[in-house]
Amino acid sequence: MKKMTIFFISLFFCFCAANAEEFLDSYGKVAKLGWLGLAYCMGIDDEREIKQELDNLSLDPTRDKVKIMDSKAAFNELKQYIDTEKEFYDINDNNPKLGYKNFKGCIKMFYYGAGYGSGYQFEVERIVKKYCKDCK
């Protein structure tokens, strides 16, 4: 009986470990896309770095070089969301002298509410679910 119990417990932990990897991959993609959106909001425009991040975001880390997500389309949709929210958070791209005020507005958008409960976070999660075909 003990051997049977140990076998089923081991089987359960193996199942959980396999699914945890997929969950962590999805959570990682949400976090990476969220940070890219924050960089876009603040006006950080390092094209080479953004392209590299988008390429990494597209790949499945458990299998080498398998693309599982259209990260460029996901990022473009997130940029549209950010552009619609800029007025509400008082972010003005046209006036570089408002650097601190724009920074503060972007951080408010990123963390509005209680961090994880922000509308921004929910939007990023929705976009990742929409564009990542193998994410859970």
Side-chain angles (χ1 to χ4, degrees), residues 80-135:
Q80 289 174 350
Y81 170 78
I82 291 168
D83 289 340
T84 61
E85 293 293 308
K86 282 184 175 181
E87 186 177 337
F88 178 78
Y89 291 101
D90 201 21
I91 301 165
N92 186 347
D93 291 338
N94 299 328
N95 192 348
K97 292 182 179 182
L98 297 175
Y100 176 71
K101 187 175 181 182
N102 288 341
F103 170 77
K104 189 174 162 184
C106 291
I107 294 298
K108 276 185 186 177
M109 181 180 62
F110 193 72
Y111 284 111
Y112 192 77
Y116 182 79
S118 71
Y120 178 79
Q121 179 71 22
F122 291 131
E123 185 67 17
V124 173
E125 288 174 3
R126 185 195 66 76
I127 291 170
V128 168
K129 286 178 186 173
K130 178 179 177 182
Y131 287 99
C132 188
K133 58 186 173 188
D134 288 342
C135 296

Side-chain angles (χ1 to χ4, degrees), residues 16-33:
C16 289
N19 287 333
E21 190 173 282
E22 290 178 8
F23 172 76
L24 290 175
D25 178 45
S26 177
Y27 178 76
K29 290 191 181 309
V30 168
K32 286 178 186 176
L33 185 62

Side-chain angles (χ1 to χ4, degrees), residues 2 6 17 19 22 55 59 67 70 73 75 85 99 118 120 135:
K2 281 186 178 181
I6 292 172
N19 287 333
E22 290 178 8
D55 288 344
L59 301 177
K67 186 174 180 177
D70 186 357
F75 187 49
E85 293 293 308
S118 71
Y120 178 79
C135 296

